[in-house]
Amino acid sequence: MRHRARPSRRGRDSAIEKRLIRVAQGSAKSARRRLYLVLIMKHYLVTKKLLCVCRSKMALTQVSSNKCAGGFQKVFEHDSTELKCKMKFAVYLPPKAETDKCPVMYWLSGLTCTEQNFITKAGSQLAAAEHGIIVVAPDTSPRGCNIEGEDESWDFGAGAGFYVDATQDPWKSNYRMYSYITEELPKLIIANFPTNPDRMSICGHSMGGHGALICALKNPGKYKAVSAFAPICNPIQCPWGQKAFSGYLGPDKSTWEPYDATVLAASYSGPQLDILIDQGRDDQFLSAGQLLPDNLISTCSEKKIPVVFRLQPGYDHSYFFIYSFMNDHIKHHAKYLNA
Amino acid sequence: NLQNQLQGKVAEMENFAGHLEEIFLTVEENFGRQEQNLEQHYNEVLQTLSQRYDDGASALQEEKKKKLESLYAQLLLCGQALDRSKDLIETAQEVHRNQDRRLFLKVMKSFLSGFLINTRVQPVLLERTPLADLSDVKTMMDSINVVPAPSAPVINPQTPNSASQTSLRVCWSLFSDDTVEFYELYYRPVLEEPPADSSIPSPPVVRQRDSSSCPEAALIRWESGNANPVDSYTVELREAGSDGAAESMVAVPACQCLVQLQAGRRYLVSVRAVNIGGPSDRSDVITVSTTGTFFHLLEDTAHPCLSISEDGFSVFYGDEELPISAMALDDTTFTRCVAVLGDLIPVRGRHYWEVEVDEDTEFRVGVAYEDTERNSYLGTNRTSWCMRHIRTPSRHKYEFLHDGWSPDLRITVHPVRVGVALDYERGTLSFFNADLEQNLHTFHCRFQAYVLPCFSLDNPGALTVHNGSGAPEHVFAITFY
């Protein structure tokens, strides 16, 4: 073996590469051996790249931690590759997480919310602790992206990501909440917390309810349970949805359909779902035609998708309503997550 | 749920504290009584002792007086003797002065011998007086620490189900004031000759249809089978397929018996009637299974328009109008709601059954108290809870009725097999789409009395009850909303 001074990392890699190429091209006795060596080189390079990416992007910074219901309510911050900005999310770790892997329930919040509303107002921690479920509550949109107009409305832009992957400028670079929720965030959670990777469920309120429904319908079998509080069931047909989709996805309505729960339900095929929906009867947005649950119900009735929809008299759209039935939803999720 | 647990724990602790207080008070009482007893005892002992002392003292005084008197008498004698001696000495001196020495010696000789005899002093001895008899005081002292003998226990009369072929359970009570270390039980078999003119009874009539069961127990019912009353019945049961001994329950007073059993088995049961002539032959044997909850429908409660199938598990509501004469004036039948009750075993455990319906059957299924109003519709009163299906031309509607109120629900997939789960402990009645294992709704109610399953058809149609298989795992796995 020739002895030489240790080159720089890059230099060393390319030396190895050169060696491999030489061997592959030159003195290999058979074509098969050459093929193997080429494959090895390819895999080596790819893995190296991935490792670099993973290492830098899996880093989490803890922002806060409070002991709650025997477990811990924490908030973390990280650099998101999908959203290209710093994102915060809340994680509740039940007592069971100290010793065992736990299933994960993702909670998607509604318009104007951050990761704080759910953890301070919804009263989920006791039931999550009792059933041993990790609850992850991300923010509702990318933040601080310096996009013009992102802070103009409360129902579009910041705090109103609508859980879609935007295709229109100036949103398409940052506003990719659908991919963030379904791809990046789960990988981050699995890598950093004691989770059962194949036991996750999804739940949300209002715009988050819409997000939960579309994530479940677009990813058959990925979520073991789904439920929603006062969801936007048919965004194509309501003012909120129309404003958001035209801004994020453009004027062509066919690009909106893949993000509409009612439309997705009509063509759903996959493992059987069991959807629980609670809706306050005195919800102002229900009467304003923003939520349209009847459309979803009739489609699900036609397509035989099991839904139990409960109209709760006297309840409105607020977190007081969520708090009142959060226990029922967590029990519904626990039935499937702990089965 | 945690809160409830905490509250439960607090209540338990309060209970416990209350018990401790009671125990403390009882102990205090007992101690007070013991104290009094001891004081009394000791007072008695002291009295007796002082009595003895007084007696002894007076006797001693008497003796002292007597001895002193005798001493005094002796002293007197001594004094007299001394006086005489003095006289004699003076006489002797005088004689001596007379100068007749021979006469003097003679006188002195007789004089001295007489003197010696007369001056012997009796010694006075103080005899040792015997101690007073204190043996009874000793007994009294010993008896202070002795616990009084307890009173005779009272044997309770024999309860039914307390005997088998090889064992017998005897219960008795003791008085609360008694302290008991152990009991001695004596027994001997008694053989009585039956009177010559008595005859053994006929065997009772046991039908499969009259029994119900659940995983923990079975309720066996029969008809006496005898015109004259019998003394009691003996229920015999044996696990099917095992060679184990049969268990018997004797002294059953009525024509039914609730038997504790083990879950997941099959038992063969028969009954004998017993009177003074002896036991009857065995009745027909029926099979009882402790897998899941099993019951038949109470045909007596069925509305006249409701007909029940041969096997007793399907009900039909036909189109035809029944003549008025068929409308029974019975207290137990439903008169408006076309309903029937089920004979659920009265055991406060977990029960599950399923109801099979068609797409368009308009039904009400649930539970009701045994005395639910027969002239009102299920769910419209406080004594019944039910799931109701209404069929409109465009869709299905569902109500979960109790006391006339229902939550507002939509269900997208019509259940054709409804699972009903009753849990007395948790106080819940849940309804499921059994095919999808989907929970539809749960009533929360602490049932004050036993409830019976109820089934009704609001429009012509049919439904079938399925029971006797255990509840699927998801049913009782988790508390439902």
Side-chain angles (χ1 to χ4, degrees), chain B residues 47 72 93 127 133 150 186 233 294 323 336 376 397 444 470 479:
Chain B
Q47 262 185 6
Y72 182 68
Q93 275 181 340
E127 289 145 19
D133 181 14
Y186 301 92
Y233 298 94
F294 184 77
R336 285 168 75 195
S376 78
K397 272 184 69 176
H444 295 270
T479 338

Side-chain angles (χ1 to χ4, degrees), chain B residues 58-335:
Chain B
S58 61
L60 277 172
Q61 287 279 30
E62 285 290 327
E63 262 211 57
K64 184 170 139 193
K65 210 164 101 184
K66 262 199 314 196
K67 296 255 165 66
L68 280 175
E69 278 176 5
S70 77
L71 262 177
Y72 182 68
Q74 286 198 359
L75 276 172
L76 271 180
L77 282 174
C78 267
Q80 283 171 4
L82 275 171
D83 285 337
R84 263 187 279 121
S85 305
K86 211 168 99 185
D87 290 339
L88 280 173
I89 288 172
E90 279 176 2
T91 321
Q93 275 181 340
E94 226 184 280
V95 166
H96 179 66
R97 260 185 249 123
N98 285 343
Q99 296 173 10
D100 189 345
R101 297 279 188 260
R102 224 183 329 128
L103 186 63
F104 175 71
L105 276 171
K106 225 200 286 183
V107 167
M108 286 310 294
K109 201 167 133 196
S110 61
F111 169 69
L112 271 173
S113 56
F115 183 73
L116 280 169
I117 289 169
N118 291 333
T119 58
R120 188 168 297 154
V121 177
Q122 301 282 21
V124 175
L125 286 172
L126 264 178
E127 289 145 19
R128 258 189 82 83
T129 52
L131 275 176
D133 181 14
L134 291 175
S135 57
D136 52 345
V137 177
K138 188 166 182 299
T139 349
M140 283 176 74
M141 286 294 292
D142 285 343
S143 76
I144 282 175
N145 290 329
V146 164
V147 174
S151 352
V154 176
I155 297 188
N156 295 353
Q158 183 179 20
T159 50
N161 298 358
S162 64
S164 70
Q165 278 181 341
T166 51
S167 70
L168 186 64
R169 192 166 77 181
V170 183
C171 301
W172 60 85
S173 49
L174 75 126
F175 294 101
S176 60
D177 278 350
D178 284 346
T179 316
V180 178
E181 275 179 35
F182 55 86
Y183 295 99
E184 281 177 356
L185 181 70
Y186 301 92
Y187 69 93
R188 85 189 143 84
V190 175
L191 283 167
E192 281 172 0
E193 284 295 316
D197 60 346
S198 69
S199 57
I200 62 171
S202 324
V205 179
V206 187
R207 277 190 293 259
Q208 193 77 50
R209 202 170 269 221
D210 295 331
S211 310
S212 53
S213 62
C214 72
E216 297 101 42
L219 180 65
I220 318 293
R221 286 206 197 90
W222 57 88
E223 279 172 27
S224 168
N226 289 275
N228 300 323
V230 299
D231 281 349
S232 68
Y233 298 94
T234 304
V235 177
E236 292 166 1
L237 53 91
R238 180 166 64 80
E239 195 177 325
S242 86
D243 294 327
E247 230 184 272
S248 3
M249 258 123 277
V250 299
V252 178
C255 286
Q256 64 175 45
C257 182
L258 187 72
V259 190
Q260 305 286 345
L261 295 171
Q262 298 203 307
R265 315 235 176 136
R266 282 176 59 242
Y267 295 86
L268 303 168
V269 186
S270 56
V271 186
R272 294 178 202 266
V274 179
N275 67 11
I276 208 167
S280 70
D281 283 335
R282 223 175 48 174
S283 70
D284 288 335
V285 177
I286 61 164
T287 314
V288 159
S289 163
T290 50
T291 304
T293 292
F294 184 77
F295 59 86
H296 288 89
L297 298 177
L298 289 166
E299 304 192 12
D300 293 342
T301 61
H303 185 277
C305 288
L306 203 61
S307 47
I308 302 185
S309 66
E310 262 302 305
D311 65 1
F313 290 108
S314 297
V315 295
F316 308 94
Y317 177 11
D319 267 335
E320 341 65 66
E321 287 282 325
L322 284 177
I324 305 281
S325 57
M327 300 286 182
L329 294 172
D330 205 327
D331 271 344
T332 56
T333 58
F334 283 93
T335 53

Side-chain angles (χ1 to χ4, degrees), chain B residues 277-456:
Chain B
S280 70
D281 283 335
R282 223 175 48 174
S283 70
D284 288 335
V285 177
I286 61 164
T287 314
V288 159
S289 163
T290 50
T291 304
T293 292
F294 184 77
F295 59 86
H296 288 89
L297 298 177
L298 289 166
E299 304 192 12
D300 293 342
T301 61
H303 185 277
C305 288
L306 203 61
S307 47
I308 302 185
S309 66
E310 262 302 305
D311 65 1
F313 290 108
S314 297
V315 295
F316 308 94
Y317 177 11
D319 267 335
E320 341 65 66
E321 287 282 325
L322 284 177
I324 305 281
S325 57
M327 300 286 182
L329 294 172
D330 205 327
D331 271 344
T332 56
T333 58
F334 283 93
T335 53
R336 285 168 75 195
C337 191
V338 181
V340 65
L341 295 175
D343 187 18
L344 181 66
I345 188 172
V347 168
R348 291 187 82 89
R350 291 173 166 173
H351 305 283
Y352 177 79
W353 60 93
E354 291 180 354
V355 185
E356 193 189 325
V357 292
D358 290 328
E359 270 286 320
D360 298 328
T361 320
E362 290 200 332
F363 59 82
R364 299 180 198 228
V365 298
V367 298
Y369 289 128
E370 205 274 322
D371 56 358
T372 188
E373 292 86 329
R374 299 299 199 264
N375 60 357
S376 78
Y377 282 86
L378 295 175
T380 58
N381 49 41
R382 287 205 186 151
T383 55
S384 56
W385 295 256
C386 67
M387 169 179 172
R388 181 183 176 197
H389 171 232
I390 304 162
R391 190 71 170 100
T392 68
S394 53
R395 62 193 186 93
H396 302 266
K397 272 184 69 176
Y398 299 92
E399 291 180 352
F400 292 86
L401 287 166
H402 173 64
D403 201 10
W405 188 87
S406 165
D408 198 335
L409 285 180
R410 309 286 151 77
I411 295 171
T412 55
V413 177
H414 172 66
V416 289
R417 208 168 161 104
V418 177
V420 185
L422 171 67
D423 190 333
Y424 281 99
E425 289 292 317
R426 286 185 186 158
T428 56
L429 175 70
S430 305
F431 295 89
F432 298 88
N433 179 327
D435 293 328
L436 302 178
E437 297 190 356
Q438 179 191 33
N439 178 267
L440 301 175
H441 181 72
T442 299
F443 289 104
H444 295 270
C445 169
R446 304 239 158 250
F447 299 104
Q448 305 291 345
Y450 294 113
V451 290
L452 302 177
C454 59
F455 312 90
S456 91

Side-chain angles (χ1 to χ4, degrees), chain A residues 180-193:
Chain A
Y180 177 70
I181 298 295
T182 53
E183 303 289 333
E184 182 178 358
L185 191 58
K187 287 201 184 88
L188 201 62
I189 300 295
I190 288 166
N192 286 284
F193 300 100

Side-chain angles (χ1 to χ4, degrees), chain A residues 126 130-131 272 274 276 281 294 297 300-301 304-311 328 331-332 334-336, chain B residues 1-2 359 405 407-413 432 435-441 474 478-481:
Chain A
L126 271 173
E130 191 189 324
H131 294 284
Q272 186 183 286
D274 181 358
L276 173 64
R281 195 156 67 188
D294 289 332
I297 292 167
C300 286
S301 300
K304 305 269 185 279
I305 296 176
V307 174
V308 174
F309 173 86
R310 315 194 297 182
L311 201 59
D328 289 352
K331 279 181 198 160
H332 172 80
K335 174 184 172 187
Y336 294 100
Chain B
N1 195 16
L2 275 175
E359 270 286 320
W405 188 87
D408 198 335
L409 285 180
R410 309 286 151 77
I411 295 171
T412 55
V413 177
F432 298 88
D435 293 328
L436 302 178
E437 297 190 356
Q438 179 191 33
N439 178 267
L440 301 175
H441 181 72
H474 72 97
I478 195 169
T479 338
F480 266 100
Y481 39 91

Side-chain angles (χ1 to χ4, degrees), chain A residues 259-334:
Chain A
Y259 293 108
D260 184 306
T262 306
V263 175
L264 289 165
S267 57
Y268 175 80
S269 75
Q272 186 183 286
L273 293 166
D274 181 358
I275 307 177
L276 173 64
I277 300 178
D278 269 309
Q279 172 66 58
R281 195 156 67 188
D282 291 6
D283 184 333
Q284 52 175 328
F285 301 111
L286 178 68
S287 38
Q290 295 278 21
L291 305 177
L292 306 172
D294 289 332
N295 298 359
L296 180 66
I297 292 167
S298 43
T299 306
C300 286
S301 300
E302 235 179 86
K303 298 296 173 183
K304 305 269 185 279
I305 296 176
V307 174
V308 174
F309 173 86
R310 315 194 297 182
L311 201 59
Q312 305 289 7
Y315 288 94
D316 58 14
H317 199 69
S318 69
Y319 267 86
F320 294 109
F321 159 63
I322 297 172
Y323 181 95
S324 305
F325 300 101
M326 180 54 73
N327 261 355
D328 289 352
H329 283 246
I330 293 189
K331 279 181 198 160
H332 172 80
H333 285 255

